[in-house]
Amino acid sequence: MQPAEFFPTVRIDRASPTPMYRQVETGLRRAILSGRLRAGVRVPGMRAYARHLGVAAVTVITAYDQLVAEGFLAVRPGVGTIVSDLTGHPAAVSDGAHRPQSLPAPRRPIATRPGPRRPFFEPQASEWPPVEIDFRTGSTRLDLFPHRAWERCLRAAWRELAAEPAGIATTYLHPSGDPRLREALAEYLGASRGVHCEPDDIVITAGAQAAMRIGVELWVTGRGPLAVEDPGGPHLFRALEAGGAELAHVPVDQRGLRLELLPRESAGVLVTPSWQYPAGGTMPIGRRLQLLTWAARRGAVVLEDDCDSELRYVGHPIASLQGLAGQCGATVLYVGTFSKVLFPGLRTGYAVVPGPVRELFLARLEASYRGPGALEQRTLAGFIAGGHFHRHLARLRAAFAERQSLALTALDRHLGGLVEAAPAPAGAHLVVRITDPCVTATALNRAAVALGVAIEPMSLSRALPAPDDAFVLHYARHGLAELEDGIRRLRRAFDVSGSASTWSRGAASA
Amino acid sequence: MQPAEFFPTVRIDRASPTPMYRQVETGLRRAILSGRLRAGVRVPGMRAYARHLGVAAVTVITAYDQLVAEGFLAVRPGVGTIVSDLTGHPAAVSDGAHRPQSLPAPRRPIATRPGPRRPFFEPQASEWPPVEIDFRTGSTRLDLFPHRAWERCLRAAWRELAAEPAGIATTYLHPSGDPRLREALAEYLGASRGVHCEPDDIVITAGAQAAMRIGVELWVTGRGPLAVEDPGGPHLFRALEAGGAELAHVPVDQRGLRLELLPRESAGVLVTPSWQYPAGGTMPIGRRLQLLTWAARRGAVVLEDDCDSELRYVGHPIASLQGLAGQCGATVLYVGTFSKVLFPGLRTGYAVVPGPVRELFLARLEASYRGPGALEQRTLAGFIAGGHFHRHLARLRAAFAERQSLALTALDRHLGGLVEAAPAPAGAHLVVRITDPCVTATALNRAAVALGVAIEPMSLSRALPAPDDAFVLHYARHGLAELEDGIRRLRRAFDVSGSASTWSRGAASA
């Protein structure tokens, strides 16, 4: 047992509405960031620490789990749980010092592609064929949606709007969006996402893409390339290129963007640190601080796309880059959307815009499309303020976790030996790797579409060369029967598209 | 009495749902456009013609009135009603032949202003102060809005959307907008606006401005300046400049854009032919054809902003440029919005996009903001298809005509001798000219704001030099008592801001 003086001090307020585990977690995070708890130090055993603090053991366990997920703590088998080495912390890092010499020189951005010539989602559906079971990302279902609560909010919103004399429905006087929605969002973002903002810092936009476009126009275009993750979101990238951005595609690893490959001349970096889209993986605190420090030194902006952050099944969502930016002196544009957790047709996203550029940002917004409709905004404001959004997220998480588990079971049952997929602690899709060297994801998808099921080859999300051996399986939209049916059809698609070896394996398992 | 053979032949179908006066009007319009009825020919007396056709006299009177309003016919005192000289008709015009030699050379476009630095509608409201009585354009009230019908459409729309498996709410699969809304709009535009289109030609956008921006990006930017009307809509112009357009401001007269002043190198022309915004005046058919012929020869696009077309109190709205474009070989992007006749917070407009560029247009749209929310679109579809929109417009027209008449009476009562304002057959505002040479519209507005009432100096809508002697008085938002009160306060503002002469006149009338 460790001596009493080794227990890190955290302040616990038993009267606070903040859950106890959050208080422990916050206290420990502060101690680590401030340097009071130093890298390599072993933190106390959970049970002993719980007794010391006078809380339940599960409280400390939950706090430790979250800090491990965020990268503040690391589990060393045979040693215990230790404080991570947060290289990259402003106090410790020196620019470039951590770039290994043996790595390739920073990649030059790929040639800028011309603006889009055709819509991605073809109206004629030749590139995006309709299928019975759709495992591609980008659409949702309303089977888990709280219809009654939403309809109540809708009716209340319309009544409110109709009674406002110079409100958001009848004037152009609120370029930054519905004041009610910005209030509700500021509270939500502060409590759930570790985002530091006031309602006035928030700008409501017609989806995340719209906010990103303005961010790129303001900070990046004409000043240098925008570094983006590879793989990444192809629709968003197309939109940014259409807006004039020159993209530099930088590979990711399990902990997000590989900072050592960032082109020096980048004017901005677009990242999905909470849950890398689409490869998965959370950027740990060390790399977060390193990225922010790098950006601050270079004068580059960080565009934080906080997609899928709400869909975390293990622990709670990880604190945002935006919340850490201040201590590093970095500029972060934090962008979120409701398209994924509510529905895309809502067309509502938001940005937390740094004060100095807020006016410019609004001027650009006003000169383009002025944000989503009044009714959507006010309905959403009521939905969040009334606690429905919080409850809906909890319900989604539980359902998605269950669906993921079903999907993994079905993959194992029907495609065992042909593919590999690891459980994911967040998001709404799995990354599935094809282990059979004779079947590409593109060929598999082609065969699958003919059988009424579509997957999303990972190659659609890549600009850098990579093997065509993985696909995205968006499980969140489907219930048990459909997941099972769709994955069974994938097995048939394998048999059709595969090599002789696949055939024989197919025959053996049939 | 004219001999029987002078009665122009028009086909009347008594079983048709098209009103009789529309049939007479359409028949005569076709006869004029085809050359069967030639310029200078006197059309038959209304009563005799009515007897000849076997219709009521009011039918012919209504048809003639409309054709006079459109410029196909002209009333010559002492002569009667004659067919206008449609110089500019493709069969008759030769490019440049009608440009008078004595006029100044085409104006060079004014220097391109940098993109917007600050939002127009200031959140801090310093440039757009809130007032009790607001005669500025750009906002509306919902006092005439059919709330019950809208709420019913809203509920029905949500139920429909929630039940659609891969519809506009849950996917990105419809970049051109809700198919239902496009169907309803195609029918409405064909019947009411003389626009030739199928549902597939229509693209739903987040307001008219968004559609215009894409049109300018596709056809104009980098190819030459965009000719715009002066005065014109400053918000729209700011948005287009932010999108990279170089604007050439061309003066208007009572019949719209002065074509003889169009810069030869223009790559596009943006016009409000139905009711020039904000000066008023309808572009007659002769000038319409001349503009289209000019554009076809130059390879310039015509951007038709059909604002205020629905708010015509005399006759019905005039047929669009888009409907005439085919016969001239011109490219027209027809753009409309629901912001003015419904409410701005709806954020919904539309474009009728020529077939050859439709795919490009959609690709740009998808890369920017993807149109308005699903709920707005479906609600509107039901609102139009259910006949509510039609009824709402009829109600608006009646109410606005009454309010305009009240405003004119009040102006005469309180500001007689200080200002001049002519009745307007369309729109939702009056242009008021200050006859007192010592009072500018800007000074008057400043004094008025201090008294709780705001007007909109015409200078805000101008880029070319002009006297600061006129303002816009948007009457549509206010009922009788407020109109009276606001205009009474304007009189006090006159007394405060005016010269000694104004003071003495003010004292005399007090």
Side-chain angles (χ1 to χ4, degrees), chain B residues 12-319:
Chain B
I12 303 238
D13 174 2
R14 283 165 212 283
S16 161
T18 307
M20 217 71 94
Y21 72 91
R22 292 298 301 265
Q23 296 189 41
V24 174
E25 179 199 317
T26 304
L28 288 174
R29 193 188 290 108
R30 283 203 188 122
I32 296 169
L33 279 171
S34 70
R36 278 188 288 128
L37 265 180
R38 294 175 52 193
V41 166
R42 190 155 69 87
V43 294
M46 297 178 196
R47 268 168 243 283
Y49 194 31
R51 273 196 305 274
H52 169 80
L53 294 173
V55 300
V58 69
T59 300
V60 175
I61 293 171
T62 309
Y64 278 17
D65 279 355
Q66 180 66 25
L67 292 169
V68 168
E70 294 186 9
F72 283 94
L73 298 179
V75 179
R76 291 282 168 276
V79 177
T81 303
I82 61 164
V83 175
S84 301
D85 180 15
L86 305 181
T87 42
H89 188 282
V93 76
S94 69
D95 185 48
H98 296 279
R99 183 177 292 159
Q101 294 306 309
S102 58
L103 280 168
R107 278 165 196 270
R108 296 289 315 160
I110 61 160
T112 303
R113 289 171 288 194
R117 307 289 305 173
R118 306 172 61 188
F120 192 89
F121 296 102
E122 273 295 297
Q124 282 73 36
S126 57
E127 294 188 14
W128 205 262
V131 289
E132 289 165 69
I133 300 174
D134 197 343
F135 289 134
R136 296 170 295 200
T137 57
S139 66
T140 189
R141 268 195 193 169
L142 294 169
D143 57 335
L144 299 169
F145 192 78
H147 290 279
R148 282 199 195 161
W150 185 259
E151 281 184 59
R152 272 199 307 275
C153 294
L154 197 55
R155 279 198 297 274
W158 177 252
R159 277 195 299 269
E160 282 176 29
L161 291 174
E164 283 177 9
I168 55 165
T170 56
T171 71
Y172 296 106
L173 291 174
H174 300 278
S176 47
D178 184 11
R180 295 272 186 87
L181 177 55
R182 291 186 288 123
E183 271 165 41
L185 256 179
E187 197 176 316
Y188 164 74
L189 290 174
S192 304
R193 304 290 311 112
V195 170
H196 298 159
C197 68
E198 299 296 318
D200 274 353
D201 300 324
I202 296 176
V203 177
I204 310 298
T205 61
Q209 179 176 297
M212 285 293 179
R213 262 193 82 146
I214 296 179
V216 167
E217 278 178 32
L218 282 183
W219 279 292
V220 180
T221 308
R223 295 182 54 230
L226 174 71
V228 297
E229 298 169 334
D230 189 278
H235 320 148
L236 176 59
F237 293 172
R238 276 165 61 102
L240 297 179
E241 285 184 315
E246 176 198 11
L247 301 188
H249 299 269
V250 177
V252 301
D253 61 21
Q254 284 306 307
R255 298 182 300 150
L257 194 80
R258 291 178 61 188
L259 301 185
E260 75 278 11
L261 299 179
L262 265 176
R264 273 177 176 272
E265 68 276 21
S266 303
V269 187
L270 169 57
V271 284
T272 53
S274 293
W275 187 245
Q276 205 280 329
Y277 182 85
T282 298
M283 189 182 282
I285 182 68
R287 198 178 283 192
R288 283 177 192 235
L289 293 169
Q290 225 170 340
L291 171 61
L292 291 170
T293 308
W294 181 90
R297 297 228 171 133
R298 296 278 182 215
V301 68
V302 176
L303 305 173
E304 179 173 20
D305 183 354
D306 204 22
C307 69
D308 282 352
S309 67
E310 285 112 344
L311 297 176
R312 172 161 281 280
Y313 315 123
V314 178
H316 57 81
I318 288 173

Side-chain angles (χ1 to χ4, degrees), chain A residues 283-297:
Chain A
M283 191 183 281
I285 183 68
R287 198 177 282 191
R288 285 178 191 236
L289 294 169
Q290 224 171 339
L291 171 60
L292 291 169
T293 309
W294 182 92
R297 297 229 171 135

Side-chain angles (χ1 to χ4, degrees), chain A residues 357-374:
Chain A
V357 296
R358 193 157 162 276
E359 212 166 51
L360 265 179
F361 192 96
L362 287 179
R364 295 252 167 189
L365 183 72
E366 204 185 53
S368 54
Y369 49 80
R370 302 186 205 256

Side-chain angles (χ1 to χ4, degrees), chain A residues 275-366:
Chain A
W275 186 245
Q276 205 280 330
Y277 182 85
T282 298
M283 191 183 281
I285 183 68
R287 198 177 282 191
R288 285 178 191 236
L289 294 169
Q290 224 171 339
L291 171 60
L292 291 169
T293 309
W294 182 92
R297 297 229 171 135
R298 296 279 183 212
V301 69
V302 176
L303 306 172
E304 178 174 21
D305 183 355
D306 204 23
C307 68
D308 283 350
S309 66
E310 285 112 342
L311 296 176
R312 174 162 282 278
Y313 316 123
V314 179
H316 57 80
I318 287 173
S320 63
L321 284 174
Q322 194 270 358
L324 297 165
Q327 65 191 86
C328 303
T331 301
V332 173
L333 181 75
Y334 176 90
V335 173
T337 179
F338 294 101
S339 293
K340 295 193 172 194
V341 290
L342 294 174
F343 53 96
L346 192 63
R347 295 282 194 283
T348 303
Y350 52 90
V352 180
V353 183
V357 296
R358 193 157 162 276
E359 212 166 51
L360 265 179
F361 192 96
L362 287 179
R364 295 252 167 189
L365 183 72
E366 204 185 53

Side-chain angles (χ1 to χ4, degrees), chain A residues 89-150:
Chain A
H89 189 284
V93 77
S94 69
D95 184 47
H98 295 280
R99 184 178 292 162
Q101 295 306 308
S102 59
L103 279 168
R107 279 166 195 267
R108 296 290 314 160
I110 62 161
T112 304
R113 289 171 290 192
R117 307 289 305 171
R118 305 172 63 189
F120 192 88
F121 296 102
E122 273 296 294
Q124 282 74 35
S126 56
E127 294 188 14
W128 204 262
V131 288
E132 289 165 66
I133 300 173
D134 197 342
F135 289 134
R136 296 170 295 200
T137 57
S139 66
T140 188
R141 269 197 193 166
L142 295 169
D143 57 335
L144 299 169
F145 193 78
H147 290 280
R148 282 200 194 158
W150 185 258

Side-chain angles (χ1 to χ4, degrees), chain A residues 133-135 141 402-415 451-453 473-493:
Chain A
I133 300 173
D134 197 342
F135 289 134
R141 269 197 193 166
E402 190 193 5
R403 288 174 185 189
Q404 186 191 104
S405 149
L406 291 171
L408 286 166
T409 309
L411 282 171
D412 191 48
R413 186 179 311 135
H414 299 293
L415 295 168
L451 298 169
V453 52
L473 190 127
H474 183 81
Y475 52 77
R477 209 172 22 239
H478 298 287
L480 169 61
E482 278 179 325
L483 278 171
E484 182 79 23
D485 182 20
I487 290 170
R488 197 185 299 118
R489 293 194 210 191
L490 277 189
R491 172 54 193 249
R492 279 195 278 141

